[in-house]
């Protein structure tokens, strides 16, 4: 990164500025942290141009967020303005965006999303080198076509990207088959070349179908992620208790069904295990990507194992971990091996927190969905939580959600961790007697590898 | 375009916003301002002003008397039937703009705006009231 990156912060909380600085290590920061500084912003704004402007509730009630947006926009007409807060109080992402902010982020939930958005903006700045890659799906590449962008594979254990294909060369069927054989479902494109990737997939889809409107697998997952983020911020934003509005709760549930219909229930019959392989996470991801993946996997396992209703299990997947946002950040930030007994107990309450959060927000879902969410950490041998149910008392639909949850955890490509294939993940679950052996066997039988 | 010596009435319940609106107007070249913190006070200021107000820039969302209430009151007084009146709205209030148009608003500007955006809105408002 070069020294030309200038960043302005206005009223950003101390707790969050550290996080922003850790992402923008080499940027030059101008910071406004008190009312005196804010007044000056109106009279003598610090000289830009700023690549990014961050604001937050740090100036207190003296400045309304609409005034913040207006004061900044007047001095800097084109810089993106992000609102960042660690308080759910008054957080209403839609309203922030409606009032002129380019985006709003709730920390810690949005930490990783914020990082991605900052990187996206840096990628638009000319003359800076970025050593950042974005995952794309192998299925989006077509044999014997010129890609126009470099493609790498990622070695998670060594944390290395190795170039697999040059932008100027045609990608051969042989090379695609080789990756498929090794069950590599994601490749990595330099962030600065992602635009070329989108152009490529758009034109290839038109060539294939002769019509527009179709989206690539990479984009399907990105859109699902963004839709899940919208759902979460709506849940946090709807009033609770007496204030909760049944209409708003109903709208959120309807939105979920729409998401499930548009982005998840698109698998072709008989191909469910192929869809599963395609959906394996290419990076560590965040809460939203975990929710979207568990949702996708739960629906697909439901189809493949013929257990429960796929649509219901997909909805359960979207909400299963929403209660984690009620677990204190200190606990979430710690490595589980360092938890005290008390902290462990609190973390283990998150399935109940999820149910409580949904009830408080008047999200009315089928009983099976509630049961599955509540039981997504139960185990077939009775070692799970919160109830420690075992054997037949661990309902099959609930097991499908729990399998999906574990599956995402095990297969996700993470730095320092060896890549695990779909079949291996299922074998691991079977060895540990986590779920009904019959269910796992049925899945393993069809899974290639 | 409006004569730069036009007296402008700036209405907003937030002090900072009043300052910001004036700052944008000053960047365009205007110099003569009076202020009010809500619609009721604004109507008093409008009628009491010694030299006549030639342009109103009013926020929409204010306690007591909203920008829309103020607009209706202004238009119900025959002396101000043609007074250029610009509402400043949040994107969130834009859906209600139809009611403001029915009530005789000259133009509206959505927050957050830049001085250039405001200038464009003022020029359009001027063209509208002068029939140009």
């Amino acid at each position: 990164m070069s020294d030309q990156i200038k960043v302005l912060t206005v009223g950003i909380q101390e707790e969050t500025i550290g996080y922003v600085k850790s992402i923008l290590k080499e940027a030059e920061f101008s910071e406004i942290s008190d009312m005196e500084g804010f007044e000056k912003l109106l009279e003598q704004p610090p000289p830009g141009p700023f690549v990014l402007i961050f604001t937050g509730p740090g100036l207190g009630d003296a400045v309304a967020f609409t005034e913040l947006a207006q004061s900044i926009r007047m001095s800097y007409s084109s810089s993106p303005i992000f609102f960042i807060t660690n308080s759910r109080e008054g957080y209403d992402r839609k309203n922030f965006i409606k009032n002129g902010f380019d985006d709003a982020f709730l920390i810690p939930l949005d930490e990783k999303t914020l990082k991605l958005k900052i990187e996206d903006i840096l990628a638009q700045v000319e003359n800076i080198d970025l050593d950042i890659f974005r995952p794309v799906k192998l299925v989006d590449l077509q044999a014997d076509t010129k890609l126009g962008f470099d493609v790498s594979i990622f070695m998670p254990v060594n944390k290395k990207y190795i170039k697999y294909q040059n932008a100027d060369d045609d990608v051969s069927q042989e090379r695609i088959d080789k990756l498929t054989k090794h069950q590599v479902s994601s490749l990595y494109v330099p962030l600065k070349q992602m635009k070329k990737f989108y152009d490529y997939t758009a034109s290839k889809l038109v060539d294939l179908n002769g019509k527009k409107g179709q989206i690539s697998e990479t984009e399907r997952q990105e859109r699902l992620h963004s839709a899940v983020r919208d759902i979460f911020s709506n849940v946090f934003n709807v009033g609770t208790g007496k204030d909760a509005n049944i209409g708003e709760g109903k709208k959120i549930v309807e939105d979920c069904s729409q998401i499930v219909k548009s982005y998840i229930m698109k698998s072709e019959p008989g191909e469910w295990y192929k869809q599963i392989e395609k959906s394996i996470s290419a990076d560590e991801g965040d809460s939203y990507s975990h929710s979207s993946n568990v949702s996708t996997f739960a629906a697909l396992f439901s189809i493949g194992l013929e257990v429960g209703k796929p649509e219901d299990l997909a909805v359960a997947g979207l909400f299963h971990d929403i209660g984690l946002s009620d677990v204190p950040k200190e606990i979430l930030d710690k490595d589980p091996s360092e938890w005290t007994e008390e902290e462990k107990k609190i973390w283990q309450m998150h399935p109940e927190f999820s149910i409580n959060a949904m009830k408080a927000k008047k999200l009315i879902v089928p009983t099976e969905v509630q049961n599955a969410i509540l039981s997504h950490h139960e185990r077939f041998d009775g070692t799970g939580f919160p109830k420690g149910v075992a054997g037949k008392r661990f309902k099959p639909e609930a097991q499908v959600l729990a399998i999906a949850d574990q599956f995402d955890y095990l297969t996700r490509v993470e730095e320092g961790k060896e890549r695990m294939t779909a079949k291996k993940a299922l074998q691991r679950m079977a060895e540990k007697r986590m779920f009904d052996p019959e269910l796992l066997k049925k899945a393993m039988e069809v899974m290639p590898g | 375009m409006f004569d730069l010596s036009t007296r402008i009435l700036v209405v907003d319940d937030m002090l900072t916003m009043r300052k910001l609106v004036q700052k944008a107007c000053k960047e365009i070249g205007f110099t003569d301002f009076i202020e009010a913190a809500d619609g009721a006070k604004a109507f008093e200021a409008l009628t009491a002003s010694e030299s006549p107000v030639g342009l109103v820039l009013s926020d929409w969302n204010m306690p007591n008397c909203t920008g829309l209430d103020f607009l209706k009151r202004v238009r119900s007084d025959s002396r101000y039937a043609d007074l250029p009146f610009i509402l400043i709205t949040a994107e969130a209030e834009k859906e209600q703009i139809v009611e403001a148009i029915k009530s005789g608003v000259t133009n509206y500007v959505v927050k957050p705006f830049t001085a250039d955006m405001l200038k464009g809105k003022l020029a359009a408002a001027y063209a509208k009231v002068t029939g140009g």
Side-chain angles (χ1 to χ4, degrees):
Chain A
M1 228 182 273
S2 83
D3 56 5
Q4 64 177 352
I5 304 284
K6 288 173 82 176
V7 171
L8 174 69
T9 70
V10 184
I12 181 169
Q13 292 157 310
E14 269 178 45
E15 299 85 346
T16 52
I17 197 162
Y19 183 70
V20 168
K21 283 186 174 171
S22 72
I23 303 170
L24 288 155
K25 281 191 193 85
E26 285 162 58
E28 181 191 329
F29 277 77
S30 300
E31 295 176 42
I32 292 172
S33 53
D34 53 21
M35 278 312 286
E36 201 185 321
F38 181 66
E39 300 277 331
K40 252 196 195 157
L41 174 70
L42 312 182
E43 304 306 325
Q44 296 169 287
F50 294 107
V51 167
L52 252 168
I53 300 174
F54 298 99
T55 76
L59 297 175
D61 294 337
V63 186
F65 72 90
T66 46
E67 292 177 288
L68 260 182
Q70 179 62 46
S71 341
I72 297 167
R73 191 47 83 221
M74 285 240 318
S75 302
Y76 310 102
S77 56
S78 58
S79 311
I81 311 174
F82 287 176
F83 189 92
I84 310 176
T85 178
N86 63 9
S87 165
R88 260 202 258 169
E89 191 79 28
Y91 179 77
D92 182 344
R93 181 162 165 260
K94 261 194 202 153
N95 202 26
F96 283 115
I97 293 170
K98 269 190 173 176
N99 281 289
F101 293 94
D102 292 270
D103 207 340
F105 301 87
L106 183 62
I107 303 297
L109 191 66
D110 282 331
E111 272 182 1
K112 280 178 187 148
T113 314
L114 173 63
K115 183 168 178 269
L116 294 178
K117 297 269 176 175
I118 291 175
E119 290 172 354
D120 284 346
I121 284 168
L122 291 179
Q124 291 163 23
V125 182
E126 279 173 35
N127 305 325
I128 61 163
D129 295 327
L130 283 178
D131 192 21
I132 298 170
F133 292 81
R134 284 289 153 83
V136 303
K137 291 291 165 186
L138 176 64
V139 289
D140 289 333
L141 308 188
Q142 282 170 39
D144 307 318
T145 54
K146 189 172 155 256
L147 300 179
F149 48 88
D150 296 330
V151 167
S152 292
I153 47 175
F154 179 55
M155 309 300 244
V157 180
N158 318 323
K159 303 175 195 175
K160 268 194 184 133
Y161 293 91
I162 295 164
K163 200 187 268 185
Y164 190 71
Q165 181 80 35
N166 268 318
D168 297 332
D169 302 337
D170 278 15
V171 59
S172 66
Q173 187 64 51
E174 200 188 339
R175 281 173 83 75
I176 289 181
D177 290 346
K178 199 173 157 194
L179 293 170
T180 312
K181 198 178 146 225
H182 285 91
Q183 298 186 40
V184 170
S185 59
S186 297
L187 295 163
Y188 299 79
V189 173
L191 177 55
K192 285 218 162 194
Q193 297 181 25
M194 277 303 280
K195 196 186 168 298
K196 286 186 179 148
F197 167 80
Y198 292 122
D199 291 346
Y200 166 85
T201 49
S203 71
K204 287 294 161 277
L205 285 167
V206 173
D207 288 352
L208 271 186
N209 305 305
K211 60 179 179 193
K212 287 184 180 174
Q214 193 98 5
I215 57 169
S216 68
E217 177 63 15
T218 305
E219 261 186 287
R220 181 193 71 80
Q221 295 197 13
E222 285 168 356
R223 288 195 196 180
L224 174 59
H225 181 271
S226 149
V228 171
R229 185 166 175 235
D230 286 342
I231 291 279
F232 274 43
S233 56
N234 285 344
V235 169
F236 292 135
N237 172 27
V238 178
T240 53
K242 278 183 193 162
D243 299 336
N245 176 327
I246 293 184
E248 282 179 273
K250 207 174 151 196
K251 172 81 173 51
I252 291 177
V253 175
E254 279 168 14
D255 288 350
C256 284
S257 306
Q258 195 53 49
I259 289 173
V260 170
K261 216 164 112 192
S262 327
Y263 298 122
I264 298 175
M265 298 301 300
K266 286 218 156 172
S267 53
E268 302 120 46
E271 298 264 307
W272 66 277
Y273 56 91
K274 282 192 184 164
Q275 298 277 338
I276 283 195
E277 284 205 310
K278 277 201 304 204
S279 303
I280 286 176
S281 256
D283 56 25
E284 211 184 316
D286 56 16
S287 329
Y288 308 121
S289 74
H290 177 62
S291 298
S292 10
N293 275 313
V294 173
S295 187
T296 308
F297 294 140
L300 292 169
F301 277 120
S302 165
I303 293 169
L305 303 174
E306 296 170 317
V307 172
K309 286 187 196 149
E311 293 85 356
D312 281 356
L313 281 156
V315 170
L318 291 178
F319 289 117
H320 76 290
D321 265 350
I322 202 156
L324 276 179
S325 59
D326 288 319
V327 175
K329 187 176 171 359
E330 304 84 75
I331 300 181
L332 296 175
D333 283 350
K334 256 194 202 175
D335 191 283
S337 63
E338 291 169 10
W339 280 339
T340 63
E341 270 309 303
E342 188 60 26
E343 287 172 333
K344 189 176 166 188
K345 260 187 206 159
I346 293 173
W347 186 79
Q348 290 192 340
M349 283 166 80
H350 79 262
E352 287 152 281
F353 292 162
S354 296
I355 297 295
N356 292 345
M358 291 173 77
K359 278 188 181 157
K361 267 87 188 181
K362 304 256 196 298
L363 304 181
I364 298 160
V365 293
T367 323
E368 292 76 27
V369 173
Q370 285 191 34
N371 284 342
I373 291 173
L374 192 60
S375 310
H376 78 268
H377 277 286
E378 298 290 1
R379 296 293 176 254
F380 198 65
D381 60 5
T383 57
F385 60 86
K387 289 186 177 149
V389 296
K392 291 268 179 275
R393 288 184 56 223
F394 188 7
K395 294 266 185 322
E397 310 91 80
Q399 290 199 48
V400 166
L401 180 66
I403 291 173
D405 184 39
Q406 267 300 305
F407 187 83
D408 184 53
Y409 167 72
L410 291 172
T411 54
R412 187 169 279 277
V413 178
E414 266 180 74
E415 286 190 358
K417 199 179 99 177
E418 208 164 319
R419 212 165 56 81
M420 197 182 275
T421 62
K423 191 159 199 164
K424 254 198 174 154
L426 292 166
Q427 277 165 351
R428 177 71 59 87
M429 292 182 222
E431 282 159 21
K432 291 195 167 183
R433 298 188 47 77
M434 289 173 143
F435 309 107
D436 186 346
E438 290 301 314
L439 277 182
L440 292 173
K441 199 178 141 205
K442 201 170 170 185
M444 278 186 287
E445 272 169 8
V446 290
M447 209 60 85
Chain B
M1 184 55 171
F2 290 99
D3 191 303
L4 293 176
S5 64
T6 303
R7 169 166 284 201
I8 302 178
L9 170 59
V10 178
V11 193
D12 200 306
D13 56 317
M14 294 180 197
L15 173 67
T16 317
M17 276 308 293
R18 294 202 296 273
K19 271 197 206 167
L20 288 167
V21 172
Q22 287 178 47
K23 188 180 177 241
C25 291
K26 280 177 192 162
E27 275 180 37
I28 298 167
F30 293 98
T31 52
D32 189 6
F33 304 97
I34 56 172
E35 301 182 8
D38 68 43
K41 286 182 190 132
F43 195 78
E44 280 171 32
L46 180 65
T47 50
S49 177
E50 278 175 23
S51 64
V53 169
L55 172 64
V56 178
L57 292 175
S58 173
D59 185 30
W60 182 299
N61 187 14
M62 295 180 288
N64 300 328
C65 175
T66 67
L68 185 64
D69 295 336
F70 175 44
L71 168 68
K72 285 178 181 166
R73 196 157 165 197
V74 166
R75 287 293 180 247
S76 67
D77 188 320
S78 60
R79 288 174 292 172
Y80 308 119
D82 299 320
L83 175 65
F85 193 116
I86 292 179
L87 267 173
I88 300 170
T89 74
E91 180 73 26
E93 295 148 0
K94 223 172 103 181
E95 292 146 12
Q96 300 160 289
I97 211 73
V98 174
E99 201 186 342
I101 291 169
K102 278 185 195 155
S103 306
V105 78
T106 317
N107 208 338
Y108 67 94
V109 57
V110 178
K111 287 188 277 193
F113 53 86
T114 59
D116 271 351
M117 282 159 69
L118 182 65
K119 195 174 173 182
K121 293 286 182 176
L122 291 183
Y126 184 77
K128 198 170 164 187
V129 291
T130 54

